[in-house]
Amino acid sequence: MTAYVSAFDLFSIGVGPSSSHTVGPMRAGLDFGRRLRGGGLLERTARVTCSLYGSLGATGIGHGTPDAVVAGLQALTPETCDPADVRRAWTDWGDGSLLALDGTHRIPFAKEDIVFEPRTRLPGHPNAMTLRALDEAGDVVTEETYYSVGGGFIRRDGEETKLGGHEHPFSYRDAATLLELCDEHGLTIAELARRNETAVRSEEEVAAGLDAIWDAMSGCVEAGLHAEGTLPGILKVKRRAAVIRGQLESTEADGHRELPGEWLGAFALAVNEENAAGGRVVTAPTNGAAGILPAVAMYWWRFLADSGLGAGNAVTPYGELVGSALLGFDGTSVDVEPDDDSVTAEANRRRGIRRFLLTATALGSLFKANASISGAEGGCQAEVGSACAMAAGGLTAVMGGTNRQIENAAEIAMEHHLGLTCDPIGGLVQIPCIERNAIAASTAVTAARLALRGDGSHYVSLDAVVETMRQTGLDMSTKYKETSEGGLAVNVIEC
């Protein structure tokens, strides 16, 4: 079985504030309604209830979980819904209102039909929920238990996690095999990932899909940089990204040189403030860590791209250098003169971003397959650590690093997140989550720089770090895994 997860599954466009506590439960509600219809049970259903267990029950309200469940039951999808409709789906539910199950079948529903059971942990995963359909007599028509396993992925009890169901031509289970495959076929990590993607989609579809992911990421950065006010929730956290943007723009207007490192932090804050507000974000690979990859990619786009893949270089649509020829989407070469105005800086940046995302996908697949990307399962090392490693590898790739330098960068980034706990204050994806993304973005850049200064050889392998992360997650106390029962979540309040 391959570890590879498609970029279009790993980077899904959805809503905040949490991939595992918002997007996953929303998809579970959506799936439950569709199964009722598909099984001919929709018309028999007079009421639906939902029990949220473990981490979903403990921090569900702060993460918008009940709102997401109600939205999903009404056939709203994370990719296309208005985020505002999700934020108020349960919170503003009116007494006597009817729920449009699967979008059409109207049944009575009350806020109390969602029950929080934080002390009950099901064996399948810390993020568990059970949906029940009842008939007029109150008897159970059917019930399904779902596990939200991180990154917006769900698994129905008794089934394997759905990852798209496609076979890929380049299968690998660990980083060592990934590097061997690249050596054997003369591929970069990004090119291997591209060939896996084009086995099920056309070149044009893959490129357009990656561009859409980047457009959503960059759009989230831009929205966050211009949004002011206070984030929702009991903490009343003030947004800072817009203020920092204004300060940096004033500094640049005064003739001082730009401060790339400070912009990097602002980009990350912008995304995670949007996420905390329940806005449109891209899981990367989760929502709690959604700011790291866009921040590092935007840092490259704005400050480094022209010094690397400039307009005079020939590259594939994915950022691969191929001498004096440019490969078209169909794989044929197109001669390009160095001064050809059609090869613009914008186009080359696009190619670089595709390379960044594909490299990050190949690396992120390893964490998902061999450890975890779920904060409720592995602590914040699983979310922020994985995202930092993916961003470090992606940046190393677009800066011209070799495959082994890319693997080294990911290893460095992950190694220095081992043991990171997940203890959000108030059950909100705000403190320490927002600042943590900015710090991790900086770590990713540092890891890439260190790797690029070496030759790719290093003592600790990425596989060893991934296994250590898995073991550390198993050993970590449950109260430090997105339950708000330990660490900052309790000590700040006590102070």
Side-chain angles (χ1 to χ4, degrees):
M1 178 179 176
T2 183
Y4 189 80
V5 179
S6 172
F8 306 109
D9 292 319
L10 201 60
F11 299 119
S12 60
I13 301 172
V15 296
S18 172
S19 52
S20 59
H21 285 60
T22 313
V23 178
M26 189 174 177
R27 287 177 174 157
L30 180 66
D31 183 79
F32 187 68
R34 288 174 174 172
R35 287 182 180 278
L36 288 174
R37 182 179 296 279
L41 303 176
L42 194 62
E43 297 302 321
R44 288 179 53 195
T45 301
R47 181 183 170 210
V48 170
T49 65
C50 176
S51 296
L52 300 173
Y53 302 108
S55 182
L56 293 185
T59 62
I61 291 181
H63 287 73
T65 305
D67 296 286
V69 172
V70 173
L73 288 171
Q74 297 185 97
L76 273 67
T77 63
E79 297 82 2
T80 61
C81 70
D82 182 341
D85 291 338
V86 180
R87 288 195 294 270
R88 56 176 176 253
W90 178 84
T91 301
D92 295 344
W93 190 265
D95 292 339
S97 298
L98 298 179
L99 184 147
L101 185 60
D102 197 40
T104 58
H105 181 57
R106 302 178 71 80
I107 59 173
F109 182 82
K111 293 179 73 173
E112 293 74 22
D113 288 331
I114 294 185
V115 179
F116 301 87
E117 301 190 36
R119 301 296 180 184
T120 301
R121 294 173 62 86
L122 301 191
H125 195 276
N127 291 331
M129 55 183 284
T130 297
L131 286 158
R132 298 178 183 87
L134 311 175
D135 61 17
E136 290 285 357
D139 296 326
V140 176
V141 175
T142 187
E143 69 175 38
E144 296 285 357
T145 294
Y146 295 88
Y147 304 110
S148 183
V149 298
F153 293 94
I154 59 172
R155 183 178 76 244
R156 195 164 61 96
D157 193 36
E159 290 185 346
E160 293 296 322
T161 305
K162 296 179 180 179
L163 300 178
H166 301 298
E167 292 294 327
H168 300 291
F170 293 96
S171 297
Y172 59 92
R173 189 64 188 176
D174 51 36
T177 305
L178 172 61
L179 292 175
E180 289 172 2
L181 281 171
C182 289
D183 288 344
E184 179 183 350
H185 296 278
L187 302 173
T188 65
I189 291 175
E191 178 64 14
L192 182 144
R194 181 187 70 82
R195 294 194 183 187
N196 277 345
E197 298 292 348
T198 55
V200 294
R201 294 176 174 88
S202 69
E203 292 271 8
E204 293 88 348
E205 288 173 329
V206 173
L210 293 172
D211 287 349
I213 291 170
W214 171 242
D215 288 343
M217 285 182 170
S218 59
C220 188
V221 171
E222 188 66 17
L225 286 175
H226 290 84
E228 299 178 347
T230 302
L231 295 173
I234 61 173
L235 301 179
K236 305 300 180 184
V237 174
K238 292 183 179 179
R239 287 179 178 257
R240 287 180 290 172
V243 175
I244 295 173
R245 172 192 57 79
Q247 293 170 346
L248 292 174
E249 288 178 346
S250 295
T251 300
E252 293 168 1
D254 291 338
H256 299 287
R257 70 181 179 87
E258 296 175 334
L259 304 169
E262 294 198 40
W263 275 110
L264 173 68
F267 297 152
L269 292 178
V271 172
N272 283 86
E273 287 175 355
E274 280 296 290
N275 178 62
R280 176 73 64 201
V281 295
V282 179
T283 60
T286 66
N287 281 28
I292 300 167
L293 274 98
V296 175
M298 184 64 77
Y299 170 80
W300 174 82
W301 177 285
R302 177 162 175 173
F303 299 107
L304 304 176
D306 291 341
S307 63
L309 297 178
N313 291 326
V315 292
T316 74
Y318 303 90
E320 306 298 316
L321 294 172
V322 290
S324 61
L326 178 68
L327 294 184
F329 285 116
D330 60 356
T332 60
S333 63
V334 180
D335 289 332
V336 178
E337 295 299 326
D339 59 351
D340 190 337
D341 291 337
S342 67
V343 185
T344 63
E346 168 79 14
N348 278 336
R349 286 194 185 100
R350 285 275 178 183
R351 296 183 184 102
I353 288 296
R354 294 170 196 162
R355 185 179 190 181
F356 182 103
L357 292 174
L358 287 170
T359 303
T361 297
L363 296 171
S365 298
L366 294 170
F367 293 105
K368 178 162 180 57
N370 298 325
S372 176
I373 58 172
S374 167
E377 187 174 35
C380 201
Q381 58 169 1
E383 295 198 36
V384 166
S386 297
C388 184
M390 294 163 65
L395 180 60
T396 304
V398 295
M399 292 304 293
T402 66
N403 289 334
R404 280 166 175 76
Q405 286 174 321
I406 292 168
E407 185 258 0
N408 188 15
E411 178 273 323
I412 293 171
M414 185 67 243
E415 181 179 335
H416 298 288
H417 281 91
L418 291 174
L420 189 64
T421 60
C422 184
D423 48 359
I425 297 175
L428 300 167
V429 190
Q430 297 178 14
I431 301 175
C433 317
I434 295 173
E435 287 181 352
R436 185 167 286 178
N437 274 251
I439 300 299
S442 179
T443 300
V445 172
T446 300
R449 287 173 173 167
L450 289 172
L452 286 166
R453 291 296 182 183
D455 61 5
S457 60
H458 52 108
Y459 190 81
V460 180
S461 70
L462 177 58
D463 288 328
V465 172
V466 173
E467 173 58 18
T468 302
M469 191 254 274
R470 185 190 70 82
Q471 294 173 3
T472 303
L474 291 174
D475 293 339
M476 188 181 292
S477 171
T478 300
K479 68 182 181 180
Y480 297 120
K481 297 180 183 180
E482 212 166 3
T483 60
S484 294
E485 295 178 351
L488 288 175
V490 296
N491 288 326
V492 169
I493 295 174
E494 289 178 358
C495 294

